[in-house]
Amino acid sequence: MCLSVPAKISKILPDDMAIVSIDGVSLEISIALIEELDVGDSVLVHVGYALSKIDPTAAKRTLELLQELGSAGQEPRS
């Protein structure tokens, strides 16, 4: 199973690279697979590559769901 996560482009770099922010963490990724990206765009990232451009609302909701999923295992059970 593969998982891609939403990220927001913070800076476009030379050679089809960019800095993205994923829930406050900055990473350098390849944007070679997508044309016409700008700072502020949201993309799906998998193993260091932006796979597709996505709607910012969908990106936000996906991150919220991932956070909920992550915190679900931390709640005490009755």
Side-chain angles (χ1 to χ4, degrees):
M1 177 169 137
C2 296
L3 177 68
S4 59
V5 292
K8 187 177 222 176
I9 296 190
S10 308
K11 184 176 182 180
I12 304 288
L13 303 172
D15 300 322
D16 289 326
M17 300 297 287
I19 302 293
V20 296
S21 176
I22 300 174
D23 200 25
V25 176
S26 293
L27 298 169
E28 185 173 328
I29 65 161
S30 171
I31 55 172
L33 302 175
I34 306 173
E35 295 182 15
E36 299 182 32
L37 287 176
D38 295 311
V39 170
D41 284 345
S42 295
V43 294
L44 283 177
V45 177
H46 176 66
V47 294
Y49 288 85
L51 300 178
S52 65
K53 187 173 172 179
I54 60 170
D55 176 75
T57 304
K60 182 180 180 212
R61 182 64 184 136
T62 300
L63 283 174
E64 290 169 352
L65 289 170
L66 288 172
Q67 288 172 347
E68 286 178 30
L69 183 62
S71 64
Q74 298 174 4
E75 297 175 6
R77 296 182 183 195
S78 308

